[in-house]
Amino acid sequence: MEKKIDRYTPATIEEKWRDRWALSGLHNTPDVSDKPNFYFLTMFPYPSGEIHIGHWYAFAPPDAAARFLRMRGHNVLFPMGFDAFGINAENAAIDRGIHPAVWTEKNMAHMRDQFNRMGAAIDWRREVVTCYPEYYRWNQWMFLKLFEKGLAYRGDAPVNWCPRDETVLANEQVIAGRCERCDTLVVRRQMTQWFYKITQYADELLKFEGLDWPERVRVLQTNWIGRSEGVELAFAVEGHVGDAIRFFTTRPDTIYGATFMVLAPEHPLVAKITAPAKQAEVERYVETARNMAEIERTSAEREKTGVDTGAFARNVFTGERIPIWVADYVLATYGTGAIMAVPGHDERDFAFAKKYRLEIREVISPDGKEHDRLDAPYIGEGSMVRSGPCSGMQSENGKKAVAEEAKKRGIGGPSVTYRLRDWLISRQRYWGTPIPIVHCERCGAVPVPYDRLPVVLPRDVEFTGRGGSPLTHVAAFVDTTCPKCGGPARRDTDTMDTFVDSSWYMYRYVDPKYDKGFMNKDLGKKWLPVQQYTGGVEHAILHLLYMRFMAKALRDLGELWFDEPALRFRYQGTIVFKGRKMSKSRGNVQTPDAYVEKYGADTLRLFMMFMGPWVDGADWDASGIEGVHRFLRRVWEMAQAEAQPPGPRDPDVDRAVHRTIAKVTEDLQTYSFNTAVAAMMELSNVLQHATGPSRDEGVSTLLLLLAPFAPYLTEELWERRGGRGSVHRQSWPAFDAAMAAAKEVTLVVQIDGKVRERIIAPAGISTAAAEDLALASPKVKAALDGRVIERKIVVPDRLVNIVTKQRS
RNA sequence: GCCGGCGUAGUCCAAUUUGGCAGGAGACAACUCCCUUAAGAGGAGUCCAGUGCGGGUUCGAAUCCCGCCGCCGGCACCA
């Protein structure tokens, strides 16, 4: 009797299970259970309004990995939320007159729904939304704590300004001179802003001990921090007692070749020391530099420019007067913003000296001899020449000698400089966390008392897109009284960088409603630190660095009991479309909706994981989606076929099943989703031609293996096959090495590396027996005719290679 | 310029960790045949590279080493 199997209609079964799972609370994670807790976190999205293909790629594979861990016996926390502050919402308000809060709320509602369609096993009871006052009040609380500790400070510095977004940016948000968000060329501005002192943790951030993070991310962070060892020295300025110029160098051994000094245009001493005759020229130069786009100014290709200040410094080591120049090839934001220029041994100084006819002197010689003319700077190490008492020393020793001498004279000593700058957190935008500071004419910058938090972002605001931050025009917000003296005062109208929000959100998920602190520590102790974190590699030196910093700062405030927020990190590559990054402005964003409708969420999930290695990303091309859909349809048919009549087991089928268990288990641990899917396809190909109990059991095992990948289909089939409870509550199939082991192997027989014969042999055959078997083969005998055997190499269960030479 | 990573059938990829049969693990596309349908589809099979190029190590190299070429990231006047 033929059993009639209905067609696989994903839309029906997916809707059915979405409802049932929601009702039964299948995805809710208890804080305590009989299983060990496991915190699996994936970077939360910005609520742009649409879950696109890139989101699927970021979320579907980790969801499968988290589901896998559940079946492996862990109590897995897999939360989701929204990084809900940010400039897009504000721009929507300006362009379309929708309030950012309304726009964001609408988008989140839509995206939650899309997440659920994807079948993501999210415990929504723990959702975190960063734009709610109950969340951002803890941003403010942390700010005040950091302020008390000196880890938050207000400083006047040259900062990155994005003219399009009309706000300052942190260094990490400037990519190749352009705004990370909108790609606009960034300019420098001198401004007083709030900073978080991430540089205090520079050395600790370089340590990755105990962290299972990809090499690539560690290298990116290490380079970004840019630790550099050297000495810091000071040269006195002629006629300006007490205004010595401090500078950093990694090559103190070249100090006898320092024939001039250079200050960055923003250096505070420039105005002070410039000779009256040069004043106009210097001012003009500084002004020009100030107005230059950052990218142009820092381009190494551009010809160097500068002006003489007319002032002189004294090179303590040579005793010479050396001119002080101003040039924009010296960066105000690195080291002390000043250098000793050694044109003989530095390419940049050499080019500058050539152009302005400054003295170029050789003080390091590769061969120990003095040379009169240098055609190019010599960058390497060597022996010191024309270096007074140090002459004849090797660079290596000279470095120490100079450092010691400087220390003795009290003008400097060993020093370490970092490329990393403090994190600028102020933003001149509305849709963010208000900085909890009040400016009083008498008391200065006064922190808002803890009991008056949160400082709530006013809702009633006009969005014109002109005249700076909308907050500055809201009198009800700005006008306040000083918490200290009670006099009239103004609130700080800047808001915090949204990366502040995301630097600690992982602590909030454990109990997002908790109102006695940023984290419910009793529950936090059961979950933290995060055991597995996933997300895009583009955050390697943004979010991931800030998040590590914040953990260390909170630890030092006594709020955390660990050093690192996430122990293991894995990233996904980027999905591009026709070789270009997907973005709204390019108008090439690919949406999943049509595919979900046609093939179902399970197919799209599976396809996302099948496209290729997850770390590699891919160029979006849906042409292969039919293949995975066909596979699911075959599983659908196979799992509902008549039960097999009783009969003998089939060891070949059993072996295929257990090898697949091993393969999928391993691949899920290493995030090799593509090969896991391939292995399941292979198994289904085997099962289709199998019979007997091995087939029935194999199909059940396949459903379990497939459950994390295709949660809807497997749940439906599990039910139809009379499975008890949810397939997602089942234990992961156990691997049986004995069943996976082959009883027979194919031995390849090579003669001089060329394959001549294949022999079926029992597995585990001894070396001697394998050799005998090979030599007994007629084909081998024929091939050996006229040759002498030199040696035999046997790889157990794989091959026999017979090395010969011509019989002489 | 510097630092990473990657080059395998028409396409996406596997085998690289641990050197051991590339009659490719899995797919897409194309083609042939079979079976079907209201339309979709389904099944069986065929086609297709010798691993970017050159050298080396080895009994044996896609895999290890060296040098080129190409592509993709990141950094880039950081003293």
Side-chain angles (χ1 to χ4, degrees), chain A residues 388-638:
Chain A
C390 291
S391 294
M393 263 187 204
Q394 288 302 300
S395 306
E396 202 50 41
N397 301 327
K399 282 181 188 171
K400 286 180 209 131
V402 170
E404 270 162 39
E405 178 63 20
K407 211 168 177 184
K408 213 185 296 172
R409 296 190 192 204
I411 57 162
S415 169
V416 178
T417 297
Y418 302 89
R419 221 185 64 105
L420 180 70
R421 305 265 58 86
D422 277 336
W423 176 14
L424 199 176
I425 60 142
S426 317
R427 295 293 179 272
Q428 290 67 46
R429 299 296 304 212
Y430 164 76
W431 193 233
T433 304
I435 289 177
I437 289 286
V438 166
H439 298 282
C440 167
E441 284 211 5
R442 253 185 297 176
C443 312
V446 180
V448 173
Y450 289 101
D451 60 12
R452 288 196 219 157
L453 296 185
V455 176
V456 177
L457 192 63
R459 173 91 183 210
D460 199 7
V461 168
E462 220 191 315
F463 299 97
T464 59
R466 293 180 308 268
S469 168
L471 273 187
T472 57
H473 307 297
V474 185
F477 176 80
V478 176
D479 298 332
T480 184
T481 52
C482 172
K484 220 180 202 169
C485 69
R490 293 172 51 84
R491 280 192 196 281
D492 200 311
T493 54
D494 283 352
T495 52
M496 293 184 200
D497 181 5
T498 55
F499 281 102
V500 173
D501 311 341
S502 55
S503 67
W504 63 276
Y505 75 114
M506 60 286 292
Y507 314 128
R508 195 67 188 159
Y509 277 131
V510 299
D511 188 357
K513 304 251 158 40
Y514 189 68
D515 63 357
K516 298 189 181 56
F518 70 92
M519 169 170 59
N520 179 337
K521 284 190 209 169
D522 291 337
L523 292 184
K525 289 228 161 85
K526 298 184 194 307
W527 292 108
L528 288 155
V530 171
Q531 280 175 73
Q532 173 68 62
Y533 195 31
T534 75
V537 71
E538 66 274 12
H539 283 113
I541 48 167
L542 281 158
H543 164 63
L544 288 174
L545 198 61
Y546 297 144
M547 167 187 95
R548 291 181 66 215
F549 155 69
M550 195 54 93
K552 291 167 197 303
L554 288 170
R555 175 202 60 197
D556 290 347
L557 290 170
E559 296 293 333
L560 294 180
W561 54 95
F562 45 83
D563 301 321
E564 291 285 349
L567 302 179
R568 190 170 189 255
F569 176 70
R570 290 294 180 272
Y571 63 83
Q572 78 268 4
T574 313
I575 296 289
V576 296
F577 184 62
K578 297 192 170 143
R580 314 189 108 243
K581 217 177 215 170
M582 280 188 236
S583 74
K584 263 193 182 161
S585 55
R586 286 198 185 90
N588 65 348
V589 175
Q590 299 300 299
T591 60
D593 299 1
Y595 302 106
V596 175
E597 211 170 294
K598 184 163 179 200
Y599 301 104
D602 280 335
T603 294
L604 191 55
R605 285 172 65 100
L606 209 63
F607 182 58
M608 285 288 154
M609 297 187 240
F610 187 60
M611 290 192 298
W614 195 51
V615 285
D616 287 355
D619 205 328
W620 175 247
D621 172 13
S623 63
I625 200 168
E626 284 286 353
V628 289
H629 189 60
R630 247 171 245 159
F631 163 63
L632 289 185
R633 226 166 22 216
R634 273 200 295 271
V635 173
W636 176 262
E637 308 275 337
M638 194 162 47

Side-chain angles (χ1 to χ4, degrees), chain A residues 42 94 96 181 223 233 283 288 313 402 415 462-463 478 500 628 633 636 648 662 684 690 701 723 795 804:
Chain A
T42 286
I94 295 164
R96 282 169 276 161
R181 249 204 80 257
N223 291 345
L233 295 162
E283 269 170 27
T288 311
V402 170
S415 169
E462 220 191 315
F463 299 97
V478 176
V500 173
V628 289
R633 226 166 22 216
W636 176 262
S684 100
T701 302
V795 181
T804 69

Side-chain angles (χ1 to χ4, degrees), chain A residues 301-324:
Chain A
E301 275 95 73
R302 197 177 117 240
E303 194 183 338
K304 300 201 175 359
T305 60
V307 290
D308 187 359
T309 64
F312 288 89
R314 183 150 312 263
N315 181 335
V316 198
F317 282 75
T318 60
E320 291 166 315
R321 289 174 87 217
I322 54 173
I324 303 169

Side-chain angles (χ1 to χ4, degrees), chain A residues 649-663:
Chain A
R649 298 199 71 86
D650 182 336
D652 287 335
V653 173
D654 291 342
R655 184 160 54 250
V657 168
H658 280 269
R659 287 196 167 167
T660 308
I661 294 173
K663 179 71 179 152

